[in-house]
Amino acid sequence: MVLHSIKSYLKFLWNSKNQHGVHSPFVYNLVTKCFYDKTNYEEYSILKSYRKTLLANKETIEVTDFGAGSRVFKSNTRPINQIAKNAGISPKRAKLLFRIVNYFQPNSILEIGTSLGLATSALALGIDTKTNKEKQNNNAKITTLEGCPNTALIAKTQCQLQKFNNIEFVNTEFSSYLSTQHPTPNTQDLIYFDGNHSRKATLEYFELLLPTSSNNSVWIFDDIHWSKDMEEAWEIIKNHPKVTVTIDTFQWGFVFFRNEQKKEHFVIRT
């Protein structure tokens, strides 16, 4: 698994470009105004505080894991601070997720895989930004799904302490929710897939959620190079007829359904 990751990253570096290799105005603006935005947003301090609280929590919880398992933990009894340190979104990625939401200002967000809410807090801050009042989107709604009741409870508690009032927490098995509890799909402007890092589950969620996509939808898949299986899933998603533009940043795969653009794939360093 480690050898696979090294090979995949070397291949990524060989193929990747920065903004100078991008000829699509849509992708160029996204890269220069969002990916490479060096602004020190005041919301970053809230993200840091949220993380710091979790890193200071040495209590252990029993984790219910429906996904592809953990490369770090050998037991499902895990310290909260170690989950935050090893399994949560990194500080760099949390800032980028905030900027993405702040840039696109989606009205509806679906997160598949809440965990301790580190990414959830970035999503919430992005649509309720204090930095730019013109971009504040008080009507936006986040629905976040988590299979483990213990991590979901911690995330909900922490987000409530931060007064994030636009989040609906749903403790559920993902495919069950997407196929039966959510049978009439609403349009989802942004979906962050960070739940089950397996080929089968990723493609299942992709197909189940396709009816929610629109011309302006932004889908973000985490850990697209996690394994050979995940890379296969990413290739299938890239080649789907409804998908027009994709961006591989190694950690994340971005998917867009913009009918006005020709089908094109970008590999971008962030």
Side-chain angles (χ1 to χ4, degrees), residues 69-89:
S70 172
R71 292 177 179 173
V72 178
F73 301 105
K74 305 303 180 186
S75 166
N76 284 342
T77 303
R78 304 171 187 175
I80 292 169
N81 60 352
Q82 292 304 305
I83 299 173
K85 180 180 178 181
N86 296 294
I89 190 173

Side-chain angles (χ1 to χ4, degrees), residues 203-261:
L203 293 176
E204 180 186 10
Y205 306 156
F206 174 79
E207 292 290 346
L208 285 170
L209 286 163
L210 267 179
T212 75
S213 66
S214 71
N215 201 65
N216 296 318
S217 292
V218 184
W219 288 15
I220 307 170
F221 290 86
D222 186 46
D223 280 332
I224 57 172
H225 295 284
W226 167 272
S227 63
K228 184 180 178 182
D229 267 8
M230 279 299 288
E231 288 183 336
E232 289 174 356
W234 176 238
E235 287 299 317
I236 292 169
I237 290 167
K238 280 166 52 179
N239 292 316
H240 193 279
K242 283 195 71 173
V243 172
T244 55
V245 176
T246 60
I247 304 173
D248 178 350
T249 66
F250 190 74
Q251 180 74 30
W252 287 345
F254 290 80
V255 172
F256 301 93
F257 305 87
R258 295 166 56 81
N259 293 322
E260 65 271 30
Q261 288 198 236

Side-chain angles (χ1 to χ4, degrees), residues 79-111:
I80 292 169
N81 60 352
Q82 292 304 305
I83 299 173
K85 180 180 178 181
N86 296 294
I89 190 173
S90 71
K92 179 182 177 181
R93 289 284 155 183
K95 290 177 181 179
L96 176 55
L97 190 58
F98 161 80
R99 294 198 302 274
I100 289 163
V101 176
N102 189 37
Y103 182 82
F104 285 109
Q105 282 301 299
N107 285 313
S108 58
I109 297 175
L110 175 64
E111 179 185 31

Side-chain angles (χ1 to χ4, degrees), residues 66 83 109 127 129 171 246:
F66 293 101
I83 299 173
I109 297 175
I127 59 176
T129 177
N171 179 210
T246 60

Side-chain angles (χ1 to χ4, degrees), residues 9-122:
Y9 188 61
L10 290 174
K11 184 179 179 182
F12 167 82
L13 290 176
W14 179 260
N15 293 317
S16 63
K17 299 178 175 65
N18 56 24
Q19 75 271 24
H20 301 298
V22 174
H23 302 294
S24 160
F26 169 77
V27 177
Y28 180 85
N29 286 333
L30 175 61
V31 172
T32 56
K33 297 178 180 180
C34 178
F35 287 7
Y36 294 167
D37 180 4
K38 302 300 182 186
T39 305
N40 186 23
Y41 292 98
E42 63 179 85
E43 284 84 0
Y44 290 171
S45 63
I46 301 174
L47 293 176
K48 185 176 181 180
S49 174
Y50 190 107
R51 183 180 300 275
K52 187 176 180 181
T53 300
L54 293 173
L55 291 175
N57 192 335
K58 297 180 180 179
E59 294 181 18
T60 59
I61 59 172
E62 191 71 19
V63 174
T64 305
D65 193 344
F66 293 101
S70 172
R71 292 177 179 173
V72 178
F73 301 105
K74 305 303 180 186
S75 166
N76 284 342
T77 303
R78 304 171 187 175
I80 292 169
N81 60 352
Q82 292 304 305
I83 299 173
K85 180 180 178 181
N86 296 294
I89 190 173
S90 71
K92 179 182 177 181
R93 289 284 155 183
K95 290 177 181 179
L96 176 55
L97 190 58
F98 161 80
R99 294 198 302 274
I100 289 163
V101 176
N102 189 37
Y103 182 82
F104 285 109
Q105 282 301 299
N107 285 313
S108 58
I109 297 175
L110 175 64
E111 179 185 31
I112 301 178
T114 316
S115 187
L116 297 176
L118 287 162
T120 317
S121 64

Side-chain angles (χ1 to χ4, degrees), residues 140-152:
K141 178 73 178 295
I142 300 169
T143 301
T144 182
L145 313 180
E146 176 54 50
C148 174
N150 292 328
T151 55

